Every structure is written in structure tokens, then in C-alpha cells.
Amino acid sequence: MMQAEFTYEGRNLMRLISVLAVLAVVVAVLPAQIPSGHYVVSSLRQPTAGSVGGLAIVHPTGAVPPTIITGLGNDLTGVGSPGYVGANSVAYSPNDGFLIVGEGVPLGGSVDIHQIFVVGGAVVLDLPVFVGTGILTGPETPGITQIVMLANGNAVFSVAVLDNTGPLAGSPIGLFDRATQTVSAIPMPPLIGVPNALAVDEVVGVIYLGMWGQGAVWSVPIAGGTPIQIAQVSNYIWSLALDENRNLMICNGSSTDRVDVQTGQVLETFSTTTALAVAVEQTTADPIAYVFGAQASDVVRLASTGPTVVASGVLDLASGITIVDSAREYGTATPGLTDYAFRTFPGVGGLPIAGNTSYAVQVDAANGNSNLGVLAASFGQSSLPVLGIQLLVDPTSAVALGAFPAGAPIPFALPAGLPPTVVFLQSIHLDAGNPRGLASSPGLQLTTIQ
């Protein structure tokens, strides 16, 4: 008996080691799978002739046609299965470049969450992890309805109409631990309706859950617990996303709205089009919606000036959208009398796209002071203690882009024809709060868009 247990645990351990080894090799040797600033949309297959679901990559301005990702299995294209099936949700992991994709399945189908690596628009690795088995109680598609990445690289997701025998044991929300390749339940009491939308605010430690067929939005602690209703909208909630003020963008049956999470009141209505998925582009703070069409779906920018179609006729039945943000902070700041941080959500210069000569970056001081700083830029990153701060740009290639006051835009013109380029930035400020008289921001990894 002891030998059998050892052998079983040993096999599981070896499998985990093998999976992690594959992930490490893929991330190390292959280029970034999705271009900077682009969107990835997921689609279900409709039960009509010629309909195909799957995944597609969309340029943020529509400058080039969408790229349909090839090499997906039938469980994500829906080919050969009845009903509304295929890729039901998608999230992008900035830590390693993987897509995390949830299935929509027919009655009795096995529901998996997939880790997919794409190169040149084609799948080169697909690692599925079992989540549960679909049941059918009405018109809903069993499966994983929305996925949100956490800062540590794990994912939180919601599920609809699964049985109680899988690792979630009936819970509508789960945690995917990517280090151990395991799925576990986030415990909470049952709610009325189908869990169809999810957003996570790690700052306050809550999950927002939207219910299809009941119209309520609930907040639940990330660790699990008793849900609290925070808003009531129409009966059909399709998707949730957090905006730059940590309020909710909600796609419901009749509009896409910005809703105050404290009061439940609608602050702004962006569109009356039936969007089935929404994400917020950090650089511009614009909601980007995946909208259901008569034959195929459209990707639409919901700017304050009005909706603009980015791409038309993308795959089939819209189900999810994720954004590869072009700017993200890294490393640890060295504070002085104040903290310094890049303004990234939203930025100040629009998209970092080739030809945007008005592009700029900005560093803000937490207490609003205007201490002078120097912006350092390089083509590599580091983490070196220098003059009392942690230097996060490569000193061998770093250049200083001039002195500037905190809280002011710093011009960073991007010439036309610039290929996708990764630049690492850090600001260093005069600050009497440190013995050496200096303080610094975190680093900013900026990847330009072609």
C-alpha cells in the first residue's frame, strides 16, 4: 500500500515537473506570441452549416486584417459538435505570453482550461487542465464563461452549468494555479442565475460575478465567502471588466455601461449594441467590445467620442476578448518623501504605435509634488543598487532623455516605420527623503506597435 501511494504521487510529481519544464523551454526560446497592443478574441461555433469558432488576433486600429489562429483542436473550434461550442473565454498572461482559454461544450462534455502558446498565428503548444463536466438545464452553454489573470500569473474564472463532481465541487468560480497545474474551488453559496461574467479587483481583494438570466452583479472575497449584491442591471449579463477607476464595464442585453461599484448606479452608457464581451485597453482607457453580428462578429472601440469598428466579420459567435497591453511596470521603486510611478492606465500619449509623433510618457508623484527627475531609457533591464536606488534599466545601453518635473508629460515621439521595439524606462528624482538624495520609479517596459 505504501509503495502504491509512493508510485502514484511520484507519477504526479514527474508529470508536473515535465509540464513546468516544457513551459520554461517554450517561454525561453520562442518569441512573444501575440503582438503588443493587439486583442485576442474567442468565438463559439453556432449550430449552422459552415460555422467555426476559435481564436483570432486583432490589430488595435484595424490597420491589418485579423489573424485567425490555426492549429486549434475541435474542442476550441467546435467543429463536429452540436450546439454552441468552442472557445468560450480567453485571457492573456503577460508573465509568459500564454493564452488561457476556456471551453464551451455540449451536454456531457469535458470542460478544460487550455494554456496555449502561439507563434506566427499558429498553435505550437496546448496544455489542457480538466475543470468539470457540462450539464444542460436550459439554453446556456456549459463551460468556462470568463477568465481573469492575477498579478502572480494564476487565473480566476467563472463556470456555467457544470456538475458537482469535478474539482470545483459545484462552486461557480475557481482558481487555476499555474505553478502546480491544478484547479480548486473558490467557495461561496449558490446564487440565482448562471455565472456568466467575472472581474477581479486585486487592490481591494474582491471578485465581481455577473449572473445571466438574473441580472445581478455580486462581490465575493478573492479567498471566497458570502457574496454581496452591488448592482442590478438587465436580465442578461454577458461580460465584465474593470475601468481605470476600478468601476465596472458591464455588457448586458441592451447596452454596455460603466457602473459605480459603490452605488450600483450607471455612470455612462457607451453603446446600445449587443456586445457579448468587453475589455478595457489600459493605454487609452477605452472599452473594447466584441459585438455579435448577424453572420460574424465585430470588434468595436467604445471611445467617449462614439463607437468605431476596428474589425468586421471576425470568426462567429463572440464570446471573449483580452488585450495585450503595450506598457507595463516592472521591478521595485525606491521611494523618497514620496512614491513615483508611471501613468499607464490611462497613458498620456495614446497608443505607442509607429508614426505617433505625439506619444509621451508621464511619471507622477504620489503627493503631487513636481520634483525634478531624469528619464533613463535602454534596450535592456537590470536590477542593480546604485547611489541608494535600485537601477532597473541596463546601464551599458541607457541614455538620459532630459530633466522633467514629476506630473508632466515627457515627449517620446515614435517615428513612422518603426518595427516592434521593446524599450525599458525608469525615472530618477531628486528627493531629500533618502540619504543619497535620490528616489526612483519602478521600471516601465514599453513595446511599440507596428
Side-chain angles (χ1 to χ4, degrees):
M1 183 68 175
M2 292 180 63
Q3 180 63 40
E5 290 178 355
F6 175 80
T7 301
Y8 173 77
E9 293 175 357
R11 282 199 302 267
N12 281 347
L13 179 60
M14 291 305 296
R15 177 181 179 275
L16 176 58
I17 291 172
S18 298
V19 168
L20 296 179
V22 170
L23 290 174
V25 170
V26 167
V27 172
V29 303
L30 293 178
Q33 58 155 340
I34 310 299
S36 170
H38 286 53
Y39 318 139
V40 179
V41 295
S42 62
S43 174
L44 295 170
R45 175 191 179 275
Q46 300 186 75
T48 55
S51 175
V52 178
L55 301 169
I57 303 170
V58 177
H59 189 281
T61 69
V64 296
T67 298
I68 307 302
I69 294 176
T70 60
L72 295 170
N74 290 349
D75 47 358
L76 293 179
T77 63
V79 173
S81 296
Y84 296 90
V85 293
N88 198 35
S89 52
V90 62
Y92 176 76
S93 171
N95 295 350
D96 55 23
F98 276 78
L99 292 174
I100 313 301
V101 185
E103 294 177 353
V105 304
L107 171 64
S110 173
V111 176
D112 296 330
I113 192 167
H114 293 252
Q115 300 157 97
I116 292 176
F117 205 90
V118 175
V119 174
V123 174
V124 297
L125 183 67
D126 182 349
L127 298 172
V129 174
F130 175 71
V131 173
T133 301
I135 57 176
L136 202 60
T137 59
E140 304 88 2
T141 295
I144 299 171
T145 53
Q146 195 160 357
I147 305 170
V148 174
M149 300 305 301
L150 302 179
N152 63 7
N154 294 332
V156 172
F157 59 93
S158 53
V159 299
V161 287
L162 303 191
D163 67 13
N164 297 331
T165 63
L168 299 187
S171 175
I173 47 179
L175 173 69
F176 177 31
D177 187 322
R178 298 188 64 217
T180 63
Q181 295 289 291
T182 57
V183 168
S184 60
I186 296 176
M188 61 172 288
L191 297 172
I192 298 173
V194 175
N196 202 44
L198 183 86
V200 179
D201 188 337
E202 290 193 75
V203 174
V204 297
V206 300
I207 296 169
Y208 297 109
L209 191 62
M211 308 301 288
W212 192 87
Q214 196 264 348
V217 180
W218 301 81
S219 70
V220 186
I222 287 180
T226 302
I228 299 172
Q229 186 173 347
I230 65 162
Q232 180 73 46
V233 293
S234 76
N235 285 341
Y236 303 104
I237 299 178
W238 295 100
S239 182
L240 299 177
L242 283 181
D243 72 4
E244 69 275 22
N245 296 313
R246 308 211 314 275
N247 287 314
L248 283 174
M249 296 299 307
I250 301 178
C251 294
N252 58 59
S254 57
S255 63
T256 299
D257 302 317
R258 190 192 310 274
V259 173
D260 188 320
V261 297
Q262 301 298 323
T263 66
Q265 299 301 305
V266 174
L267 301 174
E268 186 175 6
T269 295
F270 279 83
S271 173
T272 55
T273 306
T274 305
L276 303 189
V278 67
V280 178
E281 184 179 66
Q282 291 198 5
T283 303
T284 63
D286 287 341
I288 309 298
Y290 194 21
V291 178
F292 175 65
Q295 300 299 322
S297 298
D298 298 340
V299 176
V300 179
R301 179 180 296 274
L302 302 178
S304 57
T305 54
T308 302
V309 175
V310 175
S312 297
V314 185
L315 289 171
D316 207 321
L317 179 57
S319 61
I321 183 169
T322 188
I323 297 175
V324 181
D325 290 310
S326 51
R328 58 190 297 250
E329 287 192 319
Y330 68 92
T332 303
T334 305
L337 293 175
T338 188
D339 294 326
Y340 300 90
F342 284 93
R343 183 179 295 187
T344 58
F345 193 10
V348 295
L351 291 170
I353 195 164
N356 183 359
T357 56
S358 299
Y359 188 71
V361 297
Q362 182 167 320
V363 178
D364 293 329
N367 62 3
N369 73 36
S370 56
N371 285 356
L372 283 177
V374 172
L375 184 68
S378 74
F379 293 114
Q381 60 176 294
S382 68
S383 184
L384 300 170
V386 176
L387 296 176
I389 66 169
Q390 200 70 15
L391 185 67
L392 300 173
V393 295
D394 176 17
T396 65
S397 64
V399 295
L401 301 182
F404 65 92
I410 309 163
F412 200 82
L414 302 173
L418 179 71
T421 304
V422 182
V423 181
F424 299 91
L425 305 171
Q426 185 181 24
S427 68
I428 301 168
H429 296 261
L430 297 172
D431 194 304
N434 282 335
R436 305 295 289 271
L438 298 175
S440 63
S441 72
L444 181 72
Q445 179 178 323
L446 174 68
T447 306
T448 63
I449 304 169
Q450 193 171 34

